[in-house]
Amino acid sequence: METAQARLHTEPLTPPSPQRLLLPVAALLAAVLLWGGSFAAMRIAVAVLNPWSVMWLRMTTALLLLAPFIGKSAFAGYRTGDWKLLLPMVLFQPCLYFLLESYALTYTTSSQAGVISALVPLFVAFGAWLFLKEKINGHLITGLGITITGVIALTILDSPGSKAQNPLLGNGLELCAMVSAAINMVIVKQLCQRYNPWSLTGMQLLAGALFFTPGLPLLLQTPSSAWTPELMFAMAFLGFFVTLGAFGLYNWGMSHVPASRASIFINLVPVNAVLIGWVILGESLSSLQLLMAGAVLIGVVFSQRAA
């Protein structure tokens, strides 16, 4: 009997024309730009609210906005055995991914977290090799080594007096979050061949809202004085534009573009995160840290020669 993975695997389609790629590329670009801004917004939110409360509010806000447009049609393409893919899809993202990243941003800076996100394309390529039997070569291995070395050095070089409370723990949690995101992307690429990407987004939001429900009582205990205009703006941005907008746009864009090509756009996240962290939060990186950040990006770029 065919497994869900086997049924969802199809031969590569003829590459679409540049005109047909325009909208998917625009969607992917918009998604990563929004993600870049999410690091600074999350730092603002978790400084006041419990991470579980932040995530419950993000998921619920986005779900309420999307639910009327998908309804029961979300499972229209379901076939027996699909739960073997759908369950890990929602478990790795949003549940584990956002849980790990929420706590990571209480210990590290948004700039460093953004740089670590550059690992995602490498993890996606590795996952495609391991589960989809795609080829992997020396360029990818070398790029991965350069990137990991840069991330470790970036962490060690962070001084105790910086805005990162515990960079070793925070960057470690962020790294685990990126692994979860990469696994999710490989699965979503498989599922997008039969499921509407916005339906997949709805499933992820529903799972996230249920998973982070323990954050609701903590949210209700938050004093009204804590809800400053800055916090409300940060939560609105995270709920409407990042959780729903970036999530949905990236899923939709990836449904029209090969996973390896779509993952390249993640490389723009750290650049955007560093700029926003500097402008909004007053964060900075030393010359050596900037050098290591550059090494991370160089490693990611070099790894793309594996394609």
Side-chain angles (χ1 to χ4, degrees):
M1 181 179 293
E2 290 183 313
T3 64
Q5 290 91 333
R7 288 199 311 272
L8 290 173
H9 180 72
T10 59
E11 293 298 322
L13 300 175
T14 303
S17 64
Q19 292 77 11
R20 293 185 61 186
L21 280 176
L22 182 60
L23 284 179
V25 165
L28 293 169
L29 181 60
V32 297
L33 290 176
L34 289 171
W35 274 329
S38 71
F39 293 102
M42 277 296 292
R43 286 274 288 172
I44 293 172
V46 298
V48 180
L49 304 175
N50 182 279
W52 285 77
S53 299
V54 173
M55 293 314 309
W56 182 85
L57 192 54
R58 285 182 60 174
M59 295 294 157
T60 303
T61 300
L63 180 62
L64 291 176
L65 187 63
L66 182 61
F69 299 98
I70 54 175
K72 297 180 180 180
S73 64
F75 291 94
Y78 183 83
R79 296 179 187 174
T80 304
D82 279 1
W83 66 269
K84 296 178 182 178
L85 288 173
L86 293 171
L87 183 60
M89 178 192 74
V90 299
L91 175 63
F92 283 108
Q93 191 168 344
C95 299
L96 288 179
Y97 170 77
F98 283 118
L99 178 63
L100 290 166
E101 187 171 79
S102 294
Y103 278 100
L105 290 171
T106 65
Y107 296 110
T108 191
T109 63
S110 63
S111 300
Q112 289 194 47
V115 171
I116 293 173
S117 70
L119 287 165
V120 171
L122 301 181
F123 290 151
V124 170
F126 177 76
W129 167 76
L130 186 62
F131 297 105
L132 305 181
K133 307 305 178 184
E134 294 183 2
K135 293 183 179 180
I136 187 172
N137 63 27
H139 290 146
L140 183 58
I141 296 174
T142 302
L144 180 59
I146 294 173
T147 306
I148 291 178
T149 300
V151 170
I152 293 174
L154 186 68
T155 299
I156 295 175
L157 289 170
D158 197 1
S159 62
S162 72
K163 290 191 176 183
Q165 297 180 23
N166 190 333
L168 183 60
L169 176 59
N171 290 352
L173 291 172
E174 183 69 14
L175 187 63
C176 291
M178 293 306 106
V179 173
S180 297
I183 294 174
N184 170 265
M185 288 179 188
V186 173
I187 297 175
V188 166
K189 181 59 183 178
Q190 291 274 70
L191 290 169
C192 277
Q193 297 182 26
R194 284 199 293 102
Y195 287 85
N196 183 290
W198 288 100
S199 294
L200 296 178
T201 301
M203 294 179 202
Q204 291 173 306
L205 295 176
L206 176 60
L210 294 174
F211 181 81
F212 289 104
T213 298
L216 177 57
L218 298 173
L219 183 67
L220 296 176
Q221 296 172 13
T222 305
S224 58
S225 59
W227 291 97
T228 62
E230 182 184 41
L231 177 60
M232 289 189 288
F233 177 80
M235 289 308 307
F237 176 74
L238 289 169
F240 292 112
F241 294 99
V242 179
T243 306
L244 177 58
F247 227 148
L249 287 170
Y250 196 87
N251 283 350
W252 183 83
M254 191 164 56
S255 70
H256 293 80
V257 176
S260 59
R261 185 177 300 176
S263 67
I264 296 174
F265 286 82
I266 300 296
N267 297 344
L268 297 175
V269 173
V271 177
N272 193 32
V274 168
L275 291 175
I276 293 177
W278 171 64
V279 173
I280 296 180
L281 301 181
E283 296 177 355
S284 62
L285 295 174
S286 67
S287 298
L288 286 176
Q289 286 178 299
L290 286 172
L291 182 62
M292 291 303 102
V296 172
L297 297 178
I298 290 173
V300 173
V301 172
F302 186 81
S303 71
Q304 297 304 318
R305 297 179 62 185

